[in-house]
Tab-separated table of all heavy atoms in Angstrom:
chain	number	residue	atom	x	y	z
A	3	VAL	N	-7.475	-10.634	-9.996
A	3	VAL	CA	-8.312	-9.466	-9.698
A	3	VAL	C	-9.720	-9.883	-9.248
A	3	VAL	O	-10.277	-9.308	-8.302
A	3	VAL	CB	-8.361	-8.540	-10.936
A	3	VAL	CG1	-9.448	-7.494	-10.800
A	3	VAL	CG2	-7.005	-7.862	-11.119
A	6	ILE	N	-9.621	-11.049	-5.705
A	6	ILE	CA	-9.403	-9.911	-4.789
A	6	ILE	C	-10.719	-9.152	-4.595
A	6	ILE	O	-11.104	-8.825	-3.469
A	6	ILE	CB	-8.304	-8.973	-5.334
A	6	ILE	CG1	-6.964	-9.699	-5.333
A	6	ILE	CG2	-8.216	-7.689	-4.522
A	6	ILE	CD1	-5.872	-9.011	-6.119
A	7	LYS	N	-11.416	-8.916	-5.713
A	7	LYS	CA	-12.697	-8.190	-5.604
A	7	LYS	C	-13.676	-8.968	-4.727
A	7	LYS	O	-14.362	-8.397	-3.880
A	7	LYS	CB	-13.301	-7.986	-6.992
A	7	LYS	CG	-12.624	-6.891	-7.779
A	7	LYS	CD	-13.366	-6.673	-9.076
A	7	LYS	CE	-12.771	-5.528	-9.869
A	7	LYS	NZ	-13.449	-5.248	-11.110
A	10	TYR	N	-12.598	-8.753	-0.961
A	10	TYR	CA	-12.850	-7.471	-0.296
A	10	TYR	C	-14.330	-7.098	-0.289
A	10	TYR	O	-14.754	-6.281	0.539
A	10	TYR	CB	-11.936	-6.375	-0.863
A	10	TYR	CG	-10.556	-6.539	-0.256
A	10	TYR	CD1	-9.576	-7.261	-0.918
A	10	TYR	CD2	-10.281	-6.061	1.014
A	10	TYR	CE1	-8.327	-7.473	-0.337
A	10	TYR	CE2	-9.045	-6.272	1.604
A	10	TYR	CZ	-8.070	-6.972	0.927
A	10	TYR	OH	-6.850	-7.194	1.523
A	17	TYR	N	-13.914	-4.979	7.861
A	17	TYR	CA	-12.502	-4.598	7.717
A	17	TYR	C	-12.051	-3.649	8.832
A	17	TYR	O	-10.993	-3.854	9.443
A	17	TYR	CB	-12.252	-3.959	6.345
A	17	TYR	CG	-10.791	-3.695	6.108
A	17	TYR	CD1	-9.963	-4.668	5.562
A	17	TYR	CD2	-10.218	-2.472	6.468
A	17	TYR	CE1	-8.603	-4.436	5.384
A	17	TYR	CE2	-8.864	-2.242	6.292
A	17	TYR	CZ	-8.067	-3.220	5.750
A	17	TYR	OH	-6.717	-2.992	5.589
A	21	PHE	N	-8.958	-4.547	11.147
A	21	PHE	CA	-7.667	-3.936	10.793
A	21	PHE	C	-7.584	-2.438	11.049
A	21	PHE	O	-6.599	-1.813	10.674
A	21	PHE	CB	-7.339	-4.223	9.316
A	21	PHE	CG	-7.277	-5.689	9.028
A	21	PHE	CD1	-8.293	-6.303	8.306
A	21	PHE	CD2	-6.236	-6.455	9.507
A	21	PHE	CE1	-8.248	-7.666	8.067
A	21	PHE	CE2	-6.187	-7.819	9.272
A	21	PHE	CZ	-7.194	-8.426	8.543
A	25	LEU	N	-3.572	-1.661	12.444
A	25	LEU	CA	-2.700	-1.115	11.396
A	25	LEU	C	-2.648	0.421	11.406
A	25	LEU	O	-2.069	1.027	10.505
A	25	LEU	CB	-3.163	-1.602	10.006
A	25	LEU	CG	-3.205	-3.121	9.804
A	25	LEU	CD1	-3.651	-3.462	8.382
A	25	LEU	CD2	-1.845	-3.747	10.079
A	29	ARG	N	-0.428	3.844	9.270
A	29	ARG	CA	-1.124	4.887	8.479
A	29	ARG	C	-0.727	6.269	8.982
A	29	ARG	O	-0.455	7.174	8.198
A	29	ARG	CB	-2.645	4.708	8.595
A	29	ARG	CG	-3.154	3.402	8.047
A	29	ARG	CD	-4.691	3.350	8.043
A	29	ARG	NE	-5.149	2.003	7.759
A	29	ARG	CZ	-5.595	1.133	8.677
A	29	ARG	NH1	-5.681	1.487	9.954
A	29	ARG	NH2	-5.960	-0.080	8.327
A	46	GLU	N	-3.475	7.853	-3.011
A	46	GLU	CA	-3.372	6.608	-2.247
A	46	GLU	C	-3.994	5.491	-3.056
A	46	GLU	O	-5.180	5.540	-3.401
A	46	GLU	CB	-4.060	6.718	-0.877
A	46	GLU	CG	-3.835	5.411	-0.098
A	46	GLU	CD	-4.377	5.366	1.305
A	46	GLU	OE1	-4.637	6.430	1.906
A	46	GLU	OE2	-4.563	4.233	1.796
A	47	VAL	N	-3.201	4.481	-3.382
A	47	VAL	CA	-3.728	3.327	-4.115
A	47	VAL	C	-4.143	2.260	-3.095
A	47	VAL	O	-3.507	2.101	-2.068
A	47	VAL	CB	-2.712	2.760	-5.141
A	47	VAL	CG1	-2.239	3.834	-6.093
A	47	VAL	CG2	-1.525	2.107	-4.468
A	48	GLY	N	-5.248	1.581	-3.379
A	48	GLY	CA	-5.765	0.593	-2.424
A	48	GLY	C	-6.212	1.287	-1.156
A	48	GLY	O	-5.892	0.871	-0.044
A	49	VAL	N	-6.980	2.354	-1.326
A	49	VAL	CA	-7.374	3.207	-0.183
A	49	VAL	C	-8.342	2.487	0.756
A	49	VAL	O	-8.506	2.867	1.909
A	49	VAL	CB	-7.967	4.538	-0.704
A	49	VAL	CG1	-9.287	4.322	-1.438
A	49	VAL	CG2	-8.129	5.563	0.391
A	50	GLY	N	-8.948	1.409	0.272
A	50	GLY	CA	-9.825	0.597	1.109
A	50	GLY	C	-11.014	1.381	1.626
A	50	GLY	O	-11.660	2.132	0.888
A	51	THR	N	-11.268	1.247	2.931
A	51	THR	CA	-12.412	1.924	3.541
A	51	THR	C	-12.047	3.357	3.963
A	51	THR	O	-12.810	3.996	4.671
A	51	THR	CB	-12.928	1.147	4.764
A	51	THR	OG1	-11.856	1.083	5.728
A	51	THR	CG2	-13.367	-0.263	4.399
A	52	GLY	N	-10.868	3.789	3.573
A	52	GLY	CA	-10.487	5.187	3.820
A	52	GLY	C	-9.987	5.459	5.227
A	52	GLY	O	-10.044	6.599	5.702
A	53	LEU	N	-9.450	4.424	5.888
A	53	LEU	CA	-9.018	4.599	7.272
A	53	LEU	C	-7.880	5.604	7.431
A	53	LEU	O	-7.671	6.157	8.498
A	53	LEU	CB	-8.583	3.238	7.852
A	53	LEU	CG	-9.737	2.287	8.167
A	53	LEU	CD1	-9.236	0.856	8.331
A	53	LEU	CD2	-10.468	2.739	9.440
A	54	SER	N	-7.139	5.849	6.360
A	54	SER	CA	-5.995	6.779	6.435
A	54	SER	C	-6.396	8.223	6.156
A	54	SER	O	-5.636	9.146	6.443
A	54	SER	CB	-4.978	6.374	5.365
A	54	SER	OG	-5.655	6.395	4.116
A	67	ILE	N	-7.822	5.521	-4.815
A	67	ILE	CA	-8.401	4.537	-5.739
A	67	ILE	C	-8.419	3.168	-5.074
A	67	ILE	O	-7.613	2.872	-4.192
A	67	ILE	CB	-7.634	4.441	-7.087
A	67	ILE	CG1	-6.225	3.871	-6.886
A	67	ILE	CG2	-7.577	5.791	-7.778
A	67	ILE	CD1	-5.618	3.350	-8.178
A	68	ASP	N	-9.360	2.365	-5.512
A	68	ASP	CA	-9.426	0.980	-5.032
A	68	ASP	C	-10.156	0.154	-6.085
A	68	ASP	O	-10.980	0.677	-6.845
A	68	ASP	CB	-10.161	0.892	-3.691
A	68	ASP	CG	-9.777	-0.365	-2.918
A	68	ASP	OD1	-10.258	-1.459	-3.274
A	68	ASP	OD2	-8.973	-0.252	-1.969
A	69	ILE	N	-9.842	-1.123	-6.077
A	69	ILE	CA	-10.468	-2.014	-7.054
A	69	ILE	C	-11.795	-2.564	-6.530
A	69	ILE	O	-12.588	-3.106	-7.292
A	69	ILE	CB	-9.480	-3.147	-7.405
A	69	ILE	CG1	-9.761	-3.659	-8.800
A	69	ILE	CG2	-9.493	-4.264	-6.387
A	69	ILE	CD1	-8.616	-4.426	-9.380
A	70	SER	N	-12.019	-2.401	-5.225
A	70	SER	CA	-13.238	-2.957	-4.622
A	70	SER	C	-14.295	-1.865	-4.439
A	70	SER	O	-14.097	-0.907	-3.678
A	70	SER	CB	-12.909	-3.574	-3.261
A	70	SER	OG	-14.083	-3.730	-2.507
A	73	MET	N	-15.432	-1.625	-0.716
A	73	MET	CA	-14.496	-0.920	0.177
A	73	MET	C	-14.596	0.588	-0.077
A	73	MET	O	-14.631	1.391	0.862
A	73	MET	CB	-13.058	-1.402	-0.061
A	73	MET	CG	-12.804	-2.851	0.315
A	73	MET	SD	-12.768	-3.196	2.088
A	73	MET	CE	-11.067	-2.807	2.509
A	74	LEU	N	-14.682	0.971	-1.354
A	74	LEU	CA	-14.774	2.392	-1.709
A	74	LEU	C	-16.042	3.039	-1.174
A	74	LEU	O	-16.030	4.199	-0.756
A	74	LEU	CB	-14.768	2.544	-3.229
A	74	LEU	CG	-13.426	2.721	-3.916
A	74	LEU	CD1	-13.634	2.862	-5.408
A	74	LEU	CD2	-12.649	3.930	-3.380
A	95	MET	N	-10.630	1.853	-9.547
A	95	MET	CA	-9.585	1.739	-10.574
A	95	MET	C	-8.577	0.675	-10.146
A	95	MET	O	-8.311	0.501	-8.953
A	95	MET	CB	-8.859	3.096	-10.695
A	95	MET	CG	-8.083	3.276	-11.959
A	95	MET	SD	-7.114	4.815	-11.987
A	95	MET	CE	-8.354	6.068	-12.041
A	96	ASP	N	-8.015	0.000	-11.133
A	96	ASP	CA	-6.970	-0.989	-10.874
A	96	ASP	C	-5.627	-0.273	-10.774
A	96	ASP	O	-5.199	0.382	-11.740
A	96	ASP	CB	-6.959	-2.004	-12.026
A	96	ASP	CG	-5.931	-3.103	-11.828
A	96	ASP	OD1	-5.166	-3.035	-10.841
A	96	ASP	OD2	-5.905	-4.032	-12.657
A	97	ALA	N	-4.960	-0.399	-9.653
A	97	ALA	CA	-3.689	0.303	-9.449
A	97	ALA	C	-2.581	-0.224	-10.360
A	97	ALA	O	-1.554	0.425	-10.518
A	97	ALA	CB	-3.269	0.179	-7.985
A	98	GLU	N	-2.789	-1.376	-10.957
A	98	GLU	CA	-1.786	-1.896	-11.902
A	98	GLU	C	-1.992	-1.323	-13.304
A	98	GLU	O	-1.157	-1.525	-14.184
A	98	GLU	CB	-1.837	-3.426	-11.944
A	98	GLU	CG	-1.322	-4.061	-10.665
A	98	GLU	CD	-1.213	-5.570	-10.772
A	98	GLU	OE1	-1.278	-6.127	-11.882
A	98	GLU	OE2	-1.093	-6.202	-9.707
A	99	ASN	N	-3.111	-0.660	-13.537
A	99	ASN	CA	-3.412	-0.029	-14.839
A	99	ASN	C	-4.161	1.267	-14.588
A	99	ASN	O	-5.369	1.340	-14.794
A	99	ASN	CB	-4.305	-0.945	-15.695
A	99	ASN	CG	-3.570	-2.177	-16.133
A	99	ASN	OD1	-2.666	-2.099	-16.945
A	99	ASN	ND2	-3.959	-3.307	-15.558
A	112	ALA	N	0.993	3.485	-0.916
A	112	ALA	CA	0.320	2.171	-0.934
A	112	ALA	C	0.514	1.532	0.432
A	112	ALA	O	1.637	1.157	0.784
A	112	ALA	CB	0.906	1.280	-2.020
A	113	MET	N	-0.561	1.443	1.199
A	113	MET	CA	-0.442	0.861	2.528
A	113	MET	C	-1.144	-0.487	2.586
A	113	MET	O	-2.351	-0.575	2.314
A	113	MET	CB	-1.044	1.822	3.557
A	113	MET	CG	-0.204	3.069	3.718
A	113	MET	SD	-0.780	4.104	5.060
A	113	MET	CE	-1.786	5.260	4.169
A	114	TYR	N	-0.390	-1.509	2.880
A	114	TYR	CA	-0.915	-2.878	2.992
A	114	TYR	C	-1.527	-3.356	1.677
A	114	TYR	O	-2.553	-4.028	1.667
A	114	TYR	CB	-1.946	-2.963	4.136
A	114	TYR	CG	-1.534	-2.194	5.367
A	114	TYR	CD1	-2.195	-1.023	5.753
A	114	TYR	CD2	-0.448	-2.602	6.130
A	114	TYR	CE1	-1.788	-0.286	6.866
A	114	TYR	CE2	-0.035	-1.873	7.245
A	114	TYR	CZ	-0.721	-0.721	7.596
A	114	TYR	OH	-0.321	-0.001	8.700
A	115	VAL	N	-0.920	-2.982	0.583
A	115	VAL	CA	-1.472	-3.296	-0.738
A	115	VAL	C	-0.502	-4.143	-1.581
A	115	VAL	O	-0.936	-5.019	-2.323
A	115	VAL	CB	-1.819	-1.988	-1.507
A	115	VAL	CG1	-2.365	-2.284	-2.894
A	115	VAL	CG2	-2.823	-1.146	-0.732
A	118	VAL	N	-0.954	-7.719	-1.730
A	118	VAL	CA	-2.325	-8.159	-2.053
A	118	VAL	C	-2.506	-8.259	-3.572
A	118	VAL	O	-3.202	-9.143	-4.058
A	118	VAL	CB	-3.362	-7.160	-1.459
A	118	VAL	CG1	-4.773	-7.519	-1.891
A	118	VAL	CG2	-3.272	-7.127	0.062
A	119	VAL	N	-1.855	-7.349	-4.318
A	119	VAL	CA	-2.092	-7.296	-5.775
A	119	VAL	C	-1.443	-8.492	-6.485
A	119	VAL	O	-0.473	-9.060	-5.992
A	119	VAL	CB	-1.541	-5.988	-6.406
A	119	VAL	CG1	-2.247	-4.778	-5.842
A	119	VAL	CG2	-0.037	-5.866	-6.208
A	120	PRO	N	-1.964	-8.856	-7.669
A	120	PRO	CA	-1.397	-10.002	-8.395
A	120	PRO	C	0.054	-9.771	-8.830
A	120	PRO	O	0.854	-10.686	-8.830
A	120	PRO	CB	-2.297	-10.136	-9.634
A	120	PRO	CG	-3.540	-9.382	-9.307
A	120	PRO	CD	-3.183	-8.335	-8.292
A	125	LEU	N	2.547	-2.937	-10.197
A	125	LEU	CA	1.965	-1.884	-9.347
A	125	LEU	C	2.981	-0.759	-9.132
A	125	LEU	O	2.670	0.424	-9.293
A	125	LEU	CB	1.554	-2.476	-7.989
A	125	LEU	CG	1.194	-1.463	-6.910
A	125	LEU	CD1	-0.160	-0.819	-7.195
A	125	LEU	CD2	1.189	-2.087	-5.526
A	166	ALA	N	-6.121	-11.065	5.908
A	166	ALA	CA	-6.386	-9.890	5.061
A	166	ALA	C	-6.032	-10.161	3.607
A	166	ALA	O	-6.041	-9.252	2.783
A	166	ALA	CB	-5.592	-8.697	5.571
A	167	GLY	N	-5.673	-11.402	3.297
A	167	GLY	CA	-5.338	-11.749	1.914
A	167	GLY	C	-3.930	-11.344	1.530
A	167	GLY	O	-3.598	-11.262	0.363
A	168	PHE	N	-3.048	-11.039	2.540
A	168	PHE	CA	-1.662	-10.670	2.222
A	168	PHE	C	-0.833	-11.927	1.976
A	168	PHE	O	-0.993	-12.916	2.678
A	168	PHE	CB	-0.945	-9.982	3.401
A	168	PHE	CG	-1.594	-8.758	3.946
A	168	PHE	CD1	-1.427	-8.427	5.285
A	168	PHE	CD2	-2.333	-7.919	3.156
A	168	PHE	CE1	-1.985	-7.284	5.823
A	168	PHE	CE2	-2.891	-6.767	3.684
A	168	PHE	CZ	-2.723	-6.456	5.018
B	1	LIG	C1	-5.409	-4.799	3.035
B	1	LIG	S1	-6.416	-3.613	2.248
B	1	LIG	C2	-5.638	-2.088	2.708
B	1	LIG	C3	-6.609	-0.954	2.750
B	1	LIG	C4	-6.055	0.369	3.282
B	1	LIG	N1	-4.903	0.806	2.523
B	1	LIG	C5	-5.732	0.313	4.742
B	1	LIG	O1	-4.804	1.005	5.170
B	1	LIG	O2	-6.427	-0.361	5.500
B	1	LIG	C6	-5.945	-3.787	0.550
B	1	LIG	C7	-6.780	-2.940	-0.367
B	1	LIG	O3	-6.185	-2.969	-1.664
B	1	LIG	C8	-7.216	-3.054	-2.627
B	1	LIG	N2	-6.649	-3.593	-3.868
B	1	LIG	C9	-6.189	-4.838	-4.112
B	1	LIG	N3	-5.746	-4.952	-5.361
B	1	LIG	C10	-5.914	-3.731	-5.941
B	1	LIG	C11	-5.638	-3.210	-7.242
B	1	LIG	N4	-5.086	-3.966	-8.199
B	1	LIG	N5	-5.953	-1.933	-7.490
B	1	LIG	C12	-6.497	-1.144	-6.521
B	1	LIG	N6	-6.784	-1.588	-5.288
B	1	LIG	C13	-6.489	-2.859	-4.983
B	1	LIG	C14	-8.247	-3.963	-1.969
B	1	LIG	O4	-9.512	-3.855	-2.580
B	1	LIG	C15	-8.218	-3.440	-0.547
B	1	LIG	O5	-9.125	-2.408	-0.346
Side-chain angles (χ1 to χ4, degrees):
V3 167
I6 294 167
K7 284 185 177 181
Y10 282 95
Y17 186 87
F21 301 107
L25 302 181
R29 298 187 191 102
E46 184 177 340
V47 305
V49 67
T51 61
L53 286 163
S54 57
I67 67 162
D68 203 284
I69 207 162
S70 162
M73 294 288 275
L74 269 180
M95 198 186 292
D96 182 356
E98 290 187 14
N99 292 291
M113 291 187 264
Y114 319 110
V115 179
V118 175
V119 297
L125 168 73
F168 303 151

